[in-house]
Amino acid sequence: MKLDEKIISKAIITRYYEKLLDHLNVDVAVVGGGPSGLVAGYYLAKAGHKVAMFERKLSIGGGMWGGGMLFNEIVVQEDAKGILEEFGIRVRPCLDSGYYTADAIESVTTITSKAVQAGLVIFNCISVEDVSVDNEKITGLVVNWTPIEMSGLHVDPLSFGASFVIDATGHDTEVVHMVAKKAPGKLLTPSGEIEGEKFMCPDEAEKLTVENTKEVFPGLYVAGMACNATFGGPRMGPIFGGMLLSGRKVAELISQRLKEESK
Ligand code: 48F
């Protein structure tokens, strides 16, 4: 059969638009494809929810590719080891320290692949630039192509509906910033505003990341590094257990909410 470039184009466009139209309204929209967002997307999709992820970059994986300072190994503590193993990622104990290591590339690619196969639909190279709010509850996201964002061209965005949104944008906690700007004093934090990330302290940071995985505005949850940046915890540096545990916790919390709301 002679290859026809018009049919190739039509196939790509058709399949992409199927995904796009099918996800204009989802149970959960995850913003950011780092470790916490991917793990959250995996567990939510596995539980049968309709989940879309928007990632600004062309590549998925956020800060996990580079391990620590580009040494592409990740470290996790005992509590998080089971999550890597559930994905089938090879984990090795390290120096009798109680810590475990895994190859960063194997971790990103395996988690991404398992999440997509579980039903997570990823829209890469799309940036979230705003949120939709109705009756003081998040109802969706306002998005645009990343190249539009990068070029500064004046092109209006499109909107997607979501029952719940997860801000998994890492240190910059971008979605929470969008809400805080337009609803001053309304965040579910002690001050009503973003508390801000504190100096590095891995032990405290890892625990707090999981504790701070919660709703920060009606319909909006934080996961991963965004938790400590929002609720005022320290940064943890190159240890990834808290990111994985936070991703799983946010999925459990939102799954519960979706079940309650469907009763
Ligand atoms: O930073 P990132 O990996 O988030 P995370 O899941 O993990 C943090 C760790 O990588 C590391 C750490 C722990 O050891 O401190 O930093 O909390 O991934 C965040 C992703 O969100 C994307 C960004 O490109 C990155 O891939 N992102 C950020 N803002 C937006 C966004 C946005 N407005 N729209 C879409 N994607």
Side-chain angles (χ1 to χ4, degrees):
M1 192 177 87
K2 188 170 175 269
L3 291 178
D4 182 332
E5 67 275 22
K6 293 174 293 304
I7 295 180
I8 295 170
S9 300
K10 192 174 176 185
I12 293 170
I13 294 166
T14 306
R15 288 286 181 255
Y16 190 81
Y17 276 90
E18 277 170 14
K19 282 195 284 198
L20 209 49
L21 290 174
D22 197 34
H23 290 80
L24 274 181
N25 210 15
V26 291
D27 295 324
V28 190
V30 183
V31 188
S36 65
L38 285 169
V39 169
Y42 167 77
Y43 283 109
L44 284 161
K46 200 166 160 241
H49 305 301
K50 184 174 260 203
V51 198
M53 170 181 283
F54 298 94
E55 165 54 52
R56 170 177 283 137
K57 293 188 181 146
L58 198 49
S59 64
I60 304 302
M64 197 152 69
W65 292 106
M69 219 179 105
L70 286 184
F71 298 162
N72 62 4
E73 286 284 322
I74 63 161
V75 173
V76 300
Q77 60 279 49
E78 183 77 40
D79 296 354
K81 178 178 159 247
I83 298 183
L84 288 178
E85 287 173 337
E86 187 179 335
F87 279 98
I89 295 163
R90 292 166 302 168
V91 178
R92 291 195 293 160
C94 197
L95 313 169
D96 289 330
S97 57
Y99 300 151
Y100 297 83
T101 60
D103 183 87
I105 311 302
E106 180 180 351
S107 301
V108 174
T109 52
T110 308
I111 293 174
T112 306
S113 163
K114 294 270 162 71
V116 172
Q117 288 178 350
L120 172 69
V121 170
I122 301 179
F123 295 103
N124 56 338
C125 223
I126 291 188
S127 293
V128 172
E129 62 168 60
D130 206 349
V131 292
S132 311
V133 172
D134 191 20
N135 267 332
E136 307 222 338
K137 181 189 182 297
I138 297 274
T139 54
L141 295 172
V142 181
V143 310
N144 216 328
W145 301 113
T146 299
I148 296 281
E149 180 187 65
M150 289 167 80
S151 66
L153 286 171
H154 187 165
V155 178
D156 273 327
L158 290 176
S159 298
F160 284 72
S163 303
F164 292 96
V165 169
I166 301 173
D167 182 340
T169 63
H171 294 272
D172 295 336
T173 189
E174 290 198 22
V175 184
V176 179
H177 274 278
M178 292 164 200
V179 174
K181 195 171 157 200
K182 292 189 178 171
K186 292 280 175 64
L187 297 183
L188 304 170
T189 57
S191 67
E193 302 291 348
I194 295 168
E195 304 295 337
E197 185 183 294
K198 306 287 186 280
F199 291 117
M200 190 185 289
C201 176
D203 188 47
E204 205 188 329
E206 285 285 291
K207 282 183 219 133
L208 282 176
T209 304
V210 182
E211 255 176 68
N212 289 331
T213 300
K214 50 191 172 184
E215 194 170 31
V216 60
F217 186 81
L220 173 64
Y221 283 74
V222 276
M225 200 53 230
C227 302
N228 285 359
T230 298
F231 285 97
R235 65 181 301 193
M236 72 284 298
I239 178 158
F240 284 82
M243 301 300 118
L244 309 176
L245 292 163
S246 170
R248 185 174 66 185
K249 180 178 171 186
V250 79
E252 287 165 358
L253 293 173
I254 294 177
S255 261
Q256 189 56 38
R257 290 281 300 275
L258 285 164
K259 266 185 221 142
E260 284 162 9
E261 288 182 11
S262 70
K263 275 180 196 163

